[in-house]
Amino acid sequence: MPAESPSVPTSRPSRNFIQQIIDADRAKNPQVVVHTRFPPEPNGYLHIGHAKSICLNFGLANEYEGKFNLRFDDTNPAKEEQEYVDSIIDDVRWLGGDWEDRLFFASDYFDQLYDWAVKLVKNGKAYVCDLTAEEMREHRGTLTEPGKDSPYRTRGVEENLDLLERMKAGEFPDGSRTLRAKIDMASPNLNLRDPVMYRVKHAHHHRTGDNWCIYPSYDYTHGQSDSIEGITYSICTLEFENHRPLYDWFIQQLEIHPPRQIEFARLNLSYSVMSKRKLLQLVQEGHVAGWDDPRMLTIRGLRRRGYTPEAMRAFCERIGVAKFNSTIDMAWLEDAIREDLNERAMRRMAVMRPLRVVLTNVQPGEPLELEVPNHPQKLEEGKRKVKMGREIFIEQEDFMEDAPKKFFRLKPGGAVRLRGAGIAICEEVVKDKEGKVAELKCSFNPDTTAQVDGKKVKGTIHWVDADSALDCEVRLYDHLFTVEIPDVAPEGGSFLDNLNPSSLETTIAKLEPSLADATSGESFQFERVGYFVADSVDSKPGKPIFNRTVTLRDTWGKSQRK
RNA sequence: UGGGGAGUGGUGUAAUCGGUAGCACGACGGAUUCUGAUUCCGUUAGUCGGGGUUCAAGUCCCUGCUCCCCAGCCA
């Protein structure tokens, strides 16, 4: 093995702040293992922000040869459902997250949690409080004023134990009593002002059924669940930073394995909204067709849109991890999927807005039999047979009557290459009664390299044989919102005012016949148009429906729009 | 106005003990091209402000500014 040239410094890949923390821990103690977890609440579908967290947690475990758990934070039966559990499991797996045999539920720990609560009561660290929700709010104080002690704060241990037992036994109605940690009502951190550990909730839980009528709060559950599972790095988003002292407090009082909580900034993407509440609103008010609408940045929506796990992971890798509240440009997401699909998507031809072209010197009933490569950069992908008869369709926008000099496509008297077929010269423009271009008559030369007027033909356009073309529904998706930050709305308005009215355009396109065999979820590049995927819900055998995943980069179009 | 966090080109993200501000994406320009795609090459532009310490400050000290989070029996 040749020695490394000293003149070339080994460039260490840059490490995010969490990796740096772990590196430092391991430098001090080589024994430390990395054990992370992804802890969703099963009260909705996962979105791309969760993907960032999954990739982070799973990626860390992978990198340090540690472990990764999937654990549901199911402490609020009022909001949680099995349906969400199932979809989350499916999405995490699709993304590539592997929890092996470590699929857990916080509800698995309800007994242990209760025993620990009893211990805290016995140690004088928790008490049963009879304040109503409203009274508790009044006692809590404000951001600038300390709170007042609850009158029940000084209840004796025996009474607390008895009351807690009876809460659990179902003697009290919802909301009548809580178990609270006895910390400090004057703390500047409101989370430490005697936070609720248990509330009475006579509700059916998707896993524990009717076994419980008191349920532990997030704060009392999360850290201990981490501890039970032997989690070493409990990674969560920034809004939990204020909860860390409480997280640590419970662990310390209970004298159990202490995981370390580290917070990072959640993902924001331009032209989109990310909160569960808003996504839910989009679905419920019918602004989109459902949680898996391809315009939604839910994992399910992205899957249906044609995003691949590889592209999602590459995206998450690229955006990095930090504590700065940033907004990533949607273009990065689009770039990630282009990069992936450019490699793996087979090329096909499809015309979105057809314009009929008659090739005057091609004989009717004697179509040409052509062979076109499936992937020009990867000839090993082979070729497919494509027929070309006397009549074909080209894209309306590939013809211009009064074309600017830099227009390399078809114009009256001009020449263009028909991809994989030959050169067409526009001899005649046929118009309808309104004066709109209805049809073109072109002469055709099957020599693709033929020169015209001594010059080689610069432009190449795609086309589809009119006779054998498939009429298929194609859905052209665009950003769901018209502005970068949809939450910035006009006075009195909401993010809904920024909805993009043309985020979905449905068209019946002309596709080359081989596309009839597309299998659900299969991606293609429609040459010069974009990447498309056969819709996994609405496609029928032999009759696919395509969703546009993303357009191709279009520097010419962009320069024209300016 | 209490407490907890955060500010590096257009957007993200690095910079070891205080030692050449790097990388990616975008934008712009060019080369190649049977996809105005891809690929390749090049250019562009940054340490929130003001003081201070120092031979040397993104980094240390002081001070100011801006943004985010917290007053659920949600997570």
Side-chain angles (χ1 to χ4, degrees):
Chain A
M1 198 177 176
E4 217 157 290
S5 162
S7 62
V8 182
T10 43
S11 62
R12 221 187 282 101
S14 71
R15 321 236 71 203
N16 66 50
F17 79 102
I18 298 178
Q19 291 169 318
Q20 290 177 26
I21 289 170
I22 297 175
D23 289 345
D25 286 355
R26 285 162 57 99
K28 260 182 265 159
N29 176 10
Q31 309 297 317
V32 313
V33 298
V34 174
H35 198 158
T36 60
R37 99 269 92 116
F38 175 61
E41 182 190 14
N43 70 341
Y45 291 88
L46 259 28
H47 56 62
I48 190 168
H50 295 110
K52 176 180 179 181
S53 175
I54 294 163
C55 290
L56 211 207
N57 278 292
F58 180 64
L60 250 16
N62 235 359
E63 176 187 350
Y64 292 96
E65 295 175 323
K67 290 176 177 169
F68 167 80
N69 293 8
L70 176 58
R71 180 180 74 241
F72 286 90
D73 240 329
D74 55 350
T75 58
N76 187 357
K79 294 184 172 181
E80 296 152 8
E81 294 169 28
Q82 186 62 38
E83 178 198 347
Y84 294 127
V85 172
D86 297 338
S87 77
I88 289 169
I89 287 176
D90 188 52
D91 284 346
V92 176
R93 188 177 287 134
W94 176 81
L95 248 186
D98 184 6
W99 56 88
E100 298 173 288
D101 59 349
R102 292 179 306 281
L103 168 63
F104 299 122
F105 294 81
S107 52
D108 295 342
Y109 313 135
F110 280 178
D111 285 316
Q112 174 66 267
L113 255 12
Y114 183 81
D115 289 347
W116 278 334
V118 169
K119 175 179 175 176
L120 290 178
V121 169
K122 284 180 176 165
N123 291 346
K125 298 295 182 182
Y127 63 97
V128 173
C129 181
D130 300 357
L131 254 27
T132 64
E134 192 180 336
E135 288 166 336
M136 201 182 287
R137 193 182 324 123
E138 285 161 4
H139 279 74
R140 188 154 30 230
T142 68
L143 294 178
T144 51
E145 303 161 68
K148 298 187 296 256
D149 283 2
S150 161
Y152 307 98
R153 197 173 203 262
T154 50
R155 258 213 278 239
V157 168
E158 289 312 315
E159 188 185 359
N160 279 324
L161 250 18
D162 174 60
L163 254 13
L164 177 58
E165 183 65 32
R166 289 162 62 195
M167 276 169 68
K168 184 189 178 206
E171 286 189 31
F172 310 119
D174 286 7
S176 59
R177 279 179 232 261
T178 56
L179 181 72
R180 294 226 257 165
K182 192 188 284 187
I183 307 181
D184 177 11
M185 287 308 290
S187 172
N189 182 342
L190 307 221
N191 294 121
L192 262 21
R193 320 245 258 227
D194 290 9
V196 168
M197 293 166 57
Y198 274 94
R199 65 278 215 204
V200 179
K201 229 181 241 277
H202 292 266
H204 185 85
H205 187 279
H206 68 108
R207 300 206 95 224
T208 60
D210 298 314
N211 292 349
W212 295 84
C213 61
I214 57 172
Y215 290 93
S217 64
Y218 164 84
D219 284 310
Y220 181 62
T221 307
H222 197 90
Q224 284 79 282
S225 301
D226 283 341
S227 182
I228 290 168
E229 294 178 15
I231 300 301
T232 50
Y233 297 95
S234 177
I235 297 165
C236 61
T237 44
L238 249 29
E239 67 270 28
F240 293 102
E241 221 155 9
N242 295 326
H243 293 246
R244 189 172 359 115
L246 181 53
Y247 182 107
D248 293 338
W249 188 87
F250 282 124
I251 297 285
Q252 204 170 31
Q253 296 301 323
L254 262 11
E255 300 177 291
I256 54 179
H257 157 72
R260 173 166 180 185
Q261 176 176 304
I262 302 173
E263 310 85 9
F264 70 98
R266 60 168 5 126
L267 171 65
N268 297 296
L269 264 182
S270 62
Y271 300 102
S272 70
V273 295
M274 208 66 85
S275 85
K276 275 189 190 173
R277 202 205 96 231
K278 285 171 190 151
L279 294 178
L280 180 67
Q281 193 178 350
L282 289 170
V283 172
Q284 286 184 335
E285 295 180 4
H287 300 109
V288 295
W291 286 99
D292 64 345
D293 186 299
R295 290 167 293 182
M296 293 280 276
L297 292 185
T298 50
I299 308 277
R300 298 181 102 65
L302 288 161
R303 289 169 71 168
R304 202 172 159 193
R305 179 76 173 257
Y307 274 78
T308 61
E310 291 81 2
M312 300 286 291
R313 279 187 247 121
F315 170 75
C316 291
E317 183 65 35
R318 211 167 291 172
I319 58 178
V321 179
K323 299 190 75 158
F324 177 62
N325 259 305
S326 59
T327 299
I328 276 108
D329 194 321
M330 180 73 85
W332 284 44
L333 220 209
E334 297 173 343
D335 238 64
I337 189 60
R338 280 194 191 105
E339 203 174 297
D340 188 36
L341 258 20
N342 178 49
E343 286 295 317
R344 57 213 286 186
M346 296 299 108
R347 316 280 122 133
R348 293 292 183 268
M349 289 197 282
V351 173
M352 299 297 111
R353 296 174 187 84
L355 170 62
R356 185 176 296 271
V357 173
V358 180
L359 301 171
T360 51
N361 52 337
V362 172
Q363 296 312 305
E366 293 176 30
L368 286 75
E369 306 280 353
L370 307 166
E371 287 206 318
V372 183
N374 288 319
H375 192 133
Q377 270 86 51
K378 294 185 169 185
L379 271 2
E380 68 272 21
E381 295 292 353
K383 295 180 171 185
R384 66 190 188 281
K385 288 189 162 52
V386 178
K387 214 181 281 184
M388 186 171 90
R390 179 180 169 87
E391 296 196 0
I392 61 171
F393 294 111
I394 66 169
E395 211 71 67
Q396 284 173 19
E397 62 175 31
D398 283 339
F399 172 79
M400 258 183 121
E401 263 200 294
D402 298 301
K405 56 260 151 232
K406 290 284 221 172
F407 187 78
F408 303 144
R409 283 110 96 151
L410 244 201
K411 49 191 163 190
V416 78
R417 180 163 28 248
L418 297 173
R419 173 120 248 216
I423 305 294
I425 296 177
C426 179
E427 310 286 4
E428 188 185 341
V429 180
V430 181
K431 296 187 178 177
D432 62 15
K433 276 174 278 186
E434 284 90 47
K436 273 178 50 191
V437 177
E439 183 181 293
L440 264 26
K441 292 194 191 304
C442 296
S443 61
F444 178 72
N445 178 351
D447 177 3
T448 59
T449 59
Q451 301 208 333
V452 176
D453 299 333
K455 283 183 294 193
K456 69 177 186 179
V457 175
K458 174 105 177 151
T460 300
I461 63 174
H462 58 282
W463 55 274
V464 170
D465 175 57
D467 233 28
S468 56
L470 229 54
D471 285 323
C472 269
E473 180 178 335
V474 172
R475 297 157 179 174
L476 305 173
Y477 292 107
D478 197 356
H479 298 160
L480 227 202
F481 295 93
T482 55
V483 297
E484 283 189 43
I485 315 287
D487 284 325
V488 179
E491 269 294 306
S494 79
F495 71 105
L496 295 172
D497 296 318
N498 294 316
L499 240 14
N500 179 6
S502 19
S503 59
L504 167 59
E505 185 190 336
T506 301
T507 183
I508 301 297
K510 300 287 185 183
L511 312 193
E512 66 168 81
S514 67
L515 254 4
D517 303 327
T519 56
S520 164
E522 192 176 5
S523 287
F524 298 92
Q525 184 197 97
F526 291 174
E527 291 204 62
R528 301 208 313 131
V529 180
Y531 295 99
F532 291 75
V533 65
D535 188 79
S536 52
V537 175
D538 298 323
S539 293
K540 302 268 187 302
K543 191 76 179 169
I545 287 175
F546 285 95
N547 299 331
R548 182 170 70 194
T549 307
V550 67
T551 61
L552 255 33
R553 241 194 228 102
D554 181 13
T555 48
W556 188 79
K558 201 185 293 178
S559 69
Q560 292 305 293
R561 263 172 257 129
K562 280 178 189 164

